[in-house]
Amino acid sequence: MGIRVNLDRILLDRRMSLTELAERVGITLANLSILKTGKARAIRFSTLEALCRELDCQPADLLEYEPDENGIANAAE
Amino acid sequence: MLSIISLKVWVKLLPDIKLLFIDKAKSQLVAMSTENTSQYFRAAKTLNILINIVIAMLLLFLILFIIVGVLAHFDPGFEDVLKESDKSGMVTSVGGLMAGGILGGSIILAAYLYVAFVVRAIVKTTVRGNPFVSENISRLRKTWIIIALAEIVRMLASIIFNNGAANSVSSETVIGVEIRLQAWILVLFIAIMAEVFRIGLELRRDQELTV
Protein backbone atom coordinates (compact mmCIF):
# COMPACT_ATOMS: atom_id res chain seq x y z
CA MET A 1 0.00 0.00 0.00
CA GLY A 2 1.14 3.55 -0.72
CA ILE A 3 -0.71 4.99 2.28
CA ARG A 4 0.45 4.16 5.80
CA VAL A 5 -1.83 4.64 8.81
CA ASN A 6 -0.06 5.95 11.90
CA LEU A 7 -2.89 5.18 14.27
CA ASP A 8 -0.85 3.07 16.70
CA ARG A 9 1.77 5.83 17.13
CA ILE A 10 -0.89 8.48 17.81
CA LEU A 11 -2.70 6.17 20.23
CA LEU A 12 0.58 5.65 22.07
CA ASP A 13 1.15 9.43 22.24
CA ARG A 14 -2.37 9.99 23.57
CA ARG A 15 -2.16 6.98 25.93
CA MET A 16 -5.43 5.74 24.57
CA SER A 17 -6.46 2.16 23.89
CA LEU A 18 -7.99 0.98 20.62
CA THR A 19 -11.16 -0.07 22.46
CA GLU A 20 -11.56 3.36 24.02
CA LEU A 21 -11.10 5.06 20.65
CA ALA A 22 -13.61 2.70 19.04
CA GLU A 23 -16.17 3.62 21.70
CA ARG A 24 -15.51 7.34 21.33
CA VAL A 25 -15.60 7.33 17.53
CA GLY A 26 -18.57 4.99 17.34
CA ILE A 27 -17.11 2.35 15.03
CA THR A 28 -16.48 -1.29 15.77
CA LEU A 29 -13.20 -2.52 17.15
CA ALA A 30 -12.88 -4.87 14.18
CA ASN A 31 -13.12 -1.97 11.72
CA LEU A 32 -10.62 0.05 13.71
CA SER A 33 -8.24 -2.92 13.71
CA ILE A 34 -8.60 -3.15 9.92
CA LEU A 35 -7.59 0.52 9.72
CA LYS A 36 -4.72 0.13 12.20
CA THR A 37 -3.22 -2.91 10.46
CA GLY A 38 -3.36 -1.18 7.07
CA LYS A 39 -5.83 -3.65 5.57
CA ALA A 40 -8.46 -0.98 4.90
CA ARG A 41 -9.17 -0.17 1.27
CA ALA A 42 -10.97 3.10 1.94
CA ILE A 43 -11.83 5.45 4.75
CA ARG A 44 -14.96 7.59 4.97
CA PHE A 45 -14.60 11.31 5.55
CA SER A 46 -16.99 10.97 8.49
CA THR A 47 -14.69 8.35 10.12
CA LEU A 48 -11.62 10.46 9.45
CA GLU A 49 -13.37 13.49 10.91
CA ALA A 50 -14.37 11.57 14.05
CA LEU A 51 -10.85 10.16 14.47
CA CYS A 52 -9.28 13.61 14.11
CA ARG A 53 -11.81 15.05 16.57
CA GLU A 54 -11.21 12.40 19.23
CA LEU A 55 -7.45 12.24 18.78
CA ASP A 56 -7.14 16.01 18.40
CA CYS A 57 -5.00 15.73 15.30
CA GLN A 58 -4.98 16.46 11.56
CA PRO A 59 -5.63 13.89 8.78
CA ALA A 60 -1.97 14.22 7.79
CA ASP A 61 -0.96 13.00 11.26
CA LEU A 62 -2.96 9.82 10.71
CA LEU A 63 -2.14 9.11 7.08
CA GLU A 64 1.23 9.11 5.41
CA TYR A 65 2.10 8.61 1.76
CA GLU A 66 4.86 6.08 1.23
CA PRO A 67 6.12 5.45 -2.33
CA ASP A 68 6.90 1.89 -3.35
CA GLU A 69 10.43 0.70 -4.10
CA ASN A 70 10.13 1.82 -7.73
CA GLY A 71 8.60 5.14 -6.65
CA ILE A 72 5.06 4.35 -7.76
CA ALA A 73 2.21 4.23 -5.28
CA ASN A 74 0.25 1.01 -5.66
CA ALA A 75 -3.15 2.64 -5.26
CA ALA A 76 -5.21 -0.01 -7.09
CA GLU A 77 -3.92 -2.88 -4.92
CA MET B 1 -50.17 38.70 18.87
CA LEU B 2 -51.98 35.41 18.59
CA SER B 3 -50.33 34.69 15.26
CA ILE B 4 -46.89 35.36 16.76
CA ILE B 5 -47.60 32.91 19.61
CA SER B 6 -48.84 30.25 17.20
CA LEU B 7 -45.75 30.80 15.01
CA LYS B 8 -43.54 30.35 18.08
CA VAL B 9 -45.37 27.14 18.96
CA TRP B 10 -44.89 25.90 15.38
CA VAL B 11 -41.19 26.76 15.48
CA LYS B 12 -40.89 24.83 18.77
CA LEU B 13 -42.78 21.89 17.40
CA LEU B 14 -40.92 21.86 14.06
CA PRO B 15 -38.05 19.60 15.19
CA ASP B 16 -40.56 17.13 16.68
CA ILE B 17 -42.64 17.14 13.47
CA LYS B 18 -39.47 16.76 11.42
CA LEU B 19 -38.37 13.83 13.60
CA LEU B 20 -41.82 12.28 13.32
CA PHE B 21 -41.73 12.45 9.52
CA ILE B 22 -38.14 11.24 9.29
CA ASP B 23 -38.91 8.33 11.64
CA LYS B 24 -42.00 7.50 9.58
CA ALA B 25 -39.98 7.63 6.35
CA LYS B 26 -37.25 5.49 7.91
CA SER B 27 -39.72 2.88 9.14
CA GLN B 28 -41.34 2.84 5.68
CA LEU B 29 -37.92 2.32 4.10
CA VAL B 30 -37.15 -0.53 6.51
CA ALA B 31 -40.56 -2.11 5.77
CA MET B 32 -39.92 -1.77 2.02
CA SER B 33 -36.48 -3.36 2.27
CA THR B 34 -37.88 -6.23 4.39
CA GLU B 35 -40.62 -6.76 1.81
CA ASN B 36 -38.05 -6.73 -1.00
CA THR B 37 -35.88 -9.21 0.90
CA SER B 38 -38.80 -11.59 1.46
CA GLN B 39 -39.75 -11.31 -2.25
CA TYR B 40 -36.13 -11.97 -3.16
CA PHE B 41 -36.01 -15.09 -0.98
CA ARG B 42 -39.31 -16.29 -2.43
CA ALA B 43 -37.91 -15.87 -5.97
CA ALA B 44 -34.71 -17.69 -5.00
CA LYS B 45 -36.68 -20.57 -3.46
CA THR B 46 -38.87 -20.83 -6.59
CA LEU B 47 -35.70 -20.97 -8.68
CA ASN B 48 -34.40 -23.74 -6.43
CA ILE B 49 -37.57 -25.79 -7.00
CA LEU B 50 -37.40 -25.19 -10.78
CA ILE B 51 -33.78 -26.27 -10.99
CA ASN B 52 -34.61 -29.44 -9.04
CA ILE B 53 -37.36 -30.24 -11.58
CA VAL B 54 -34.90 -29.63 -14.45
CA ILE B 55 -32.36 -31.96 -12.79
CA ALA B 56 -35.00 -34.68 -12.38
CA MET B 57 -36.03 -34.37 -16.06
CA LEU B 58 -32.44 -34.44 -17.28
CA LEU B 59 -31.73 -37.52 -15.13
CA LEU B 60 -34.81 -39.23 -16.58
CA PHE B 61 -33.72 -38.46 -20.15
CA LEU B 62 -30.19 -39.65 -19.44
CA ILE B 63 -31.50 -42.94 -18.01
CA LEU B 64 -33.75 -43.37 -21.07
CA PHE B 65 -30.80 -42.74 -23.39
CA ILE B 66 -28.69 -45.30 -21.54
CA ILE B 67 -31.53 -47.89 -21.66
CA VAL B 68 -31.97 -47.33 -25.43
CA GLY B 69 -28.19 -47.61 -25.92
CA VAL B 70 -27.97 -50.85 -23.93
CA LEU B 71 -30.99 -52.34 -25.73
CA ALA B 72 -29.58 -51.39 -29.14
CA HIS B 73 -26.24 -52.95 -28.23
CA PHE B 74 -27.46 -56.24 -26.75
CA ASP B 75 -30.77 -56.83 -28.56
CA PRO B 76 -30.31 -57.24 -32.37
CA GLY B 77 -34.09 -57.07 -32.92
CA PHE B 78 -34.33 -53.62 -31.37
CA GLU B 79 -32.79 -52.00 -34.44
CA ASP B 80 -35.46 -53.62 -36.63
CA VAL B 81 -38.15 -52.15 -34.38
CA LEU B 82 -36.68 -48.71 -34.92
CA LYS B 83 -36.46 -49.32 -38.67
CA GLU B 84 -40.09 -50.42 -38.83
CA SER B 85 -41.18 -47.32 -36.90
CA ASP B 86 -39.50 -45.13 -39.50
CA LYS B 87 -42.38 -44.30 -41.87
CA SER B 88 -40.42 -42.24 -44.40
CA GLY B 89 -38.35 -45.24 -45.46
CA MET B 90 -35.40 -43.00 -46.37
CA VAL B 91 -32.96 -44.40 -43.85
CA THR B 92 -32.01 -47.96 -44.67
CA SER B 93 -29.35 -48.59 -42.04
CA VAL B 94 -29.33 -46.85 -38.69
CA GLY B 95 -27.11 -49.08 -36.54
CA GLY B 96 -23.83 -47.08 -36.43
CA LEU B 97 -25.61 -43.76 -36.72
CA MET B 98 -27.94 -44.58 -33.86
CA ALA B 99 -24.99 -45.58 -31.65
CA GLY B 100 -23.28 -42.28 -32.49
CA GLY B 101 -26.48 -40.35 -31.84
CA ILE B 102 -27.00 -42.03 -28.47
CA LEU B 103 -23.37 -41.42 -27.48
CA GLY B 104 -23.49 -37.76 -28.54
CA GLY B 105 -26.86 -37.25 -26.88
CA SER B 106 -25.66 -38.87 -23.66
CA ILE B 107 -22.56 -36.65 -23.56
CA ILE B 108 -24.67 -33.53 -24.10
CA LEU B 109 -27.24 -34.62 -21.51
CA ALA B 110 -24.50 -35.41 -18.98
CA ALA B 111 -22.95 -31.97 -19.63
CA TYR B 112 -26.30 -30.22 -19.12
CA LEU B 113 -26.92 -32.30 -15.98
CA TYR B 114 -23.57 -31.14 -14.60
CA VAL B 115 -24.49 -27.55 -15.51
CA ALA B 116 -27.84 -27.97 -13.72
CA PHE B 117 -26.02 -29.15 -10.55
CA VAL B 118 -23.65 -26.16 -10.77
CA VAL B 119 -26.62 -23.78 -11.23
CA ARG B 120 -28.31 -25.40 -8.22
CA ALA B 121 -25.21 -24.67 -6.13
CA ILE B 122 -25.37 -21.02 -7.27
CA VAL B 123 -29.08 -20.83 -6.44
CA LYS B 124 -28.36 -22.30 -2.98
CA THR B 125 -25.91 -19.47 -2.25
CA THR B 126 -28.62 -17.03 -3.40
CA VAL B 127 -31.17 -18.63 -1.04
CA ARG B 128 -28.65 -18.21 1.78
CA GLY B 129 -28.52 -14.52 0.81
CA ASN B 130 -24.85 -14.44 -0.16
CA PRO B 131 -24.39 -15.00 -3.91
CA PHE B 132 -21.25 -12.83 -4.28
CA VAL B 133 -18.68 -15.48 -3.33
CA SER B 134 -15.57 -16.50 -5.26
CA GLU B 135 -16.92 -20.04 -5.72
CA ASN B 136 -19.81 -18.72 -7.80
CA ILE B 137 -17.43 -17.01 -10.23
CA SER B 138 -15.65 -20.30 -10.96
CA ARG B 139 -19.05 -22.05 -11.13
CA LEU B 140 -20.30 -19.58 -13.73
CA ARG B 141 -17.05 -19.89 -15.70
CA LYS B 142 -17.39 -23.69 -15.62
CA THR B 143 -21.00 -23.36 -16.78
CA TRP B 144 -20.29 -21.32 -19.91
CA ILE B 145 -17.28 -23.46 -20.83
CA ILE B 146 -19.30 -26.71 -20.48
CA ILE B 147 -22.27 -25.31 -22.46
CA ALA B 148 -19.88 -24.17 -25.21
CA LEU B 149 -18.18 -27.61 -25.29
CA ALA B 150 -21.56 -29.39 -25.32
CA GLU B 151 -22.64 -27.21 -28.23
CA ILE B 152 -19.45 -28.04 -30.13
CA VAL B 153 -20.04 -31.78 -29.47
CA ARG B 154 -23.62 -31.40 -30.69
CA MET B 155 -22.45 -29.64 -33.86
CA LEU B 156 -19.84 -32.35 -34.55
CA ALA B 157 -22.39 -35.11 -33.86
CA SER B 158 -24.91 -33.46 -36.19
CA ILE B 159 -22.26 -33.21 -38.96
CA ILE B 160 -21.42 -36.92 -38.58
CA PHE B 161 -25.06 -37.97 -38.27
CA ASN B 162 -26.30 -35.85 -41.21
CA ASN B 163 -23.46 -36.92 -43.49
CA GLY B 164 -23.95 -40.56 -42.54
CA ALA B 165 -27.70 -40.39 -43.20
CA ALA B 166 -27.19 -38.55 -46.47
CA ASN B 167 -24.53 -40.99 -47.68
CA SER B 168 -26.76 -43.97 -46.86
CA VAL B 169 -29.47 -42.76 -49.29
CA SER B 170 -27.44 -41.00 -51.98
CA SER B 171 -23.85 -40.85 -53.22
CA GLU B 172 -23.71 -37.04 -52.89
CA THR B 173 -21.82 -35.77 -49.87
CA VAL B 174 -23.68 -33.05 -48.05
CA ILE B 175 -21.80 -31.16 -45.37
CA GLY B 176 -24.13 -29.11 -43.24
CA VAL B 177 -23.72 -27.67 -39.77
CA GLU B 178 -26.46 -26.13 -37.73
CA ILE B 179 -25.30 -23.20 -35.60
CA ARG B 180 -27.79 -22.51 -32.81
CA LEU B 181 -27.48 -18.80 -32.19
CA GLN B 182 -29.47 -18.95 -28.96
CA ALA B 183 -26.97 -21.40 -27.42
CA TRP B 184 -24.03 -19.11 -28.22
CA ILE B 185 -25.92 -16.08 -26.91
CA LEU B 186 -26.49 -18.05 -23.69
CA VAL B 187 -22.76 -18.86 -23.52
CA LEU B 188 -21.92 -15.18 -24.00
CA PHE B 189 -24.51 -14.12 -21.42
CA ILE B 190 -23.16 -16.53 -18.76
CA ALA B 191 -19.57 -15.46 -19.51
CA ILE B 192 -20.61 -11.82 -18.98
CA MET B 193 -22.46 -12.78 -15.78
CA ALA B 194 -19.26 -14.42 -14.47
CA GLU B 195 -17.40 -11.15 -15.00
CA VAL B 196 -20.28 -9.21 -13.38
CA PHE B 197 -19.99 -11.51 -10.34
CA ARG B 198 -16.22 -10.95 -10.25
CA ILE B 199 -16.71 -7.17 -10.22
CA GLY B 200 -19.52 -7.55 -7.65
CA LEU B 201 -17.21 -9.52 -5.38
CA GLU B 202 -14.51 -6.84 -5.75
CA LEU B 203 -17.03 -4.13 -4.83
CA ARG B 204 -18.19 -6.13 -1.84
CA ARG B 205 -14.62 -6.60 -0.61
CA ASP B 206 -14.08 -2.85 -1.05
CA GLN B 207 -17.22 -2.16 0.94
CA GLU B 208 -16.23 -4.60 3.69
CA LEU B 209 -12.79 -3.01 3.98
CA THR B 210 -14.13 0.55 4.05
CA VAL B 211 -13.82 1.96 7.55
Side-chain angles (χ1 to χ4, degrees):
Chain A
M1 278 291 272
I3 301 288
R4 199 173 70 183
V5 183
N6 293 322
L7 193 62
D8 44 357
R9 189 175 53 78
I10 295 173
L11 280 171
L12 202 72
D13 290 347
R14 305 288 188 277
R15 295 174 192 281
M16 197 189 286
S17 69
L18 205 65
T19 319
E20 191 187 340
L21 182 65
E23 278 171 11
R24 281 189 181 195
V25 172
I27 62 171
T28 61
L29 190 63
N31 269 346
L32 209 57
S33 296
I34 287 170
L35 185 68
K36 190 174 155 258
T37 50
K39 285 176 188 166
R41 286 195 185 193
I43 179 165
R44 290 188 190 93
F45 274 146
S46 56
T47 312
L48 194 59
E49 189 189 329
L51 285 171
C52 288
R53 186 186 63 231
E54 295 303 328
L55 294 168
D56 190 25
C57 66
Q58 291 297 314
D61 299 328
L62 279 169
L63 308 171
E64 193 181 336
Y65 171 67
E66 208 174 45
D68 287 350
E69 280 176 17
N70 50 7
I72 303 161
N74 203 355
E77 198 175 40
Chain B
M1 185 68 185
L2 198 70
S3 62
I4 292 168
I5 293 167
S6 66
L7 193 70
K8 274 183 181 175
V9 169
W10 271 109
V11 167
K12 271 188 179 177
L13 281 174
L14 205 62
D16 293 339
I17 294 164
K18 216 166 126 186
L19 266 175
L20 187 78
F21 277 106
I22 289 169
D23 283 353
K24 201 179 172 188
K26 270 184 186 172
S27 62
Q28 273 177 351
L29 270 174
V30 168
M32 273 166 68
S33 67
T34 318
E35 198 181 315
N36 284 345
T37 313
S38 65
Q39 276 179 355
Y40 161 81
F41 277 114
R42 227 177 292 147
K45 277 183 180 173
T46 313
L47 266 174
N48 199 21
I49 294 165
L50 279 174
I51 199 73
N52 279 332
I53 293 168
V54 169
I55 287 172
M57 281 169 71
L58 283 171
L59 263 172
L60 193 73
F61 278 122
L62 190 63
I63 290 164
L64 277 174
F65 257 69
I66 291 166
I67 290 169
V68 170
V70 169
L71 279 174
H73 186 74
F74 291 107
D75 185 8
F78 189 73
E79 197 186 321
D80 298 331
V81 175
L82 281 178
K83 264 198 267 184
E84 277 170 17
S85 65
D86 189 2
K87 302 283 182 203
S88 65
M90 291 292 283
V91 179
T92 52
S93 172
V94 288
L97 291 173
M98 196 181 70
I102 289 167
L103 183 70
S106 303
I107 290 169
I108 293 163
L109 268 175
Y112 276 102
L113 193 65
Y114 181 75
V115 166
F117 276 113
V118 168
V119 172
R120 190 170 71 165
I122 294 170
V123 171
K124 268 186 182 173
T125 60
T126 315
V127 172
R128 281 191 217 115
N130 185 22
F132 291 105
V133 287
S134 57
E135 288 85 6
N136 276 355
I137 300 165
S138 55
R139 278 174 190 146
L140 281 170
R141 281 183 183 153
K142 261 186 225 166
T143 306
W144 78 256
I145 290 167
I146 288 165
I147 292 175
L149 286 175
E151 191 57 21
I152 291 166
V153 168
R154 193 200 60 79
M155 278 159 64
L156 287 173
S158 77
I159 291 170
I160 295 162
F161 193 83
N162 289 342
N163 287 346
N167 289 339
S168 66
V169 288
S170 68
S171 56
E172 286 175 32
T173 309
V174 184
I175 299 170
V177 59
E178 185 203 355
I179 297 169
R180 290 196 305 183
L181 202 61
Q182 66 268 35
W184 292 107
I185 288 171
L186 181 71
V187 166
L188 193 68
F189 180 74
I190 298 169
I192 291 167
M193 282 303 288
E195 287 309 297
V196 168
F197 262 68
R198 191 184 58 76
I199 294 165
L201 185 68
E202 279 288 310
L203 287 173
R204 199 192 149 156
R205 274 183 192 156
D206 273 354
Q207 197 236 328
E208 278 173 355
L209 291 174
T210 297
V211 180

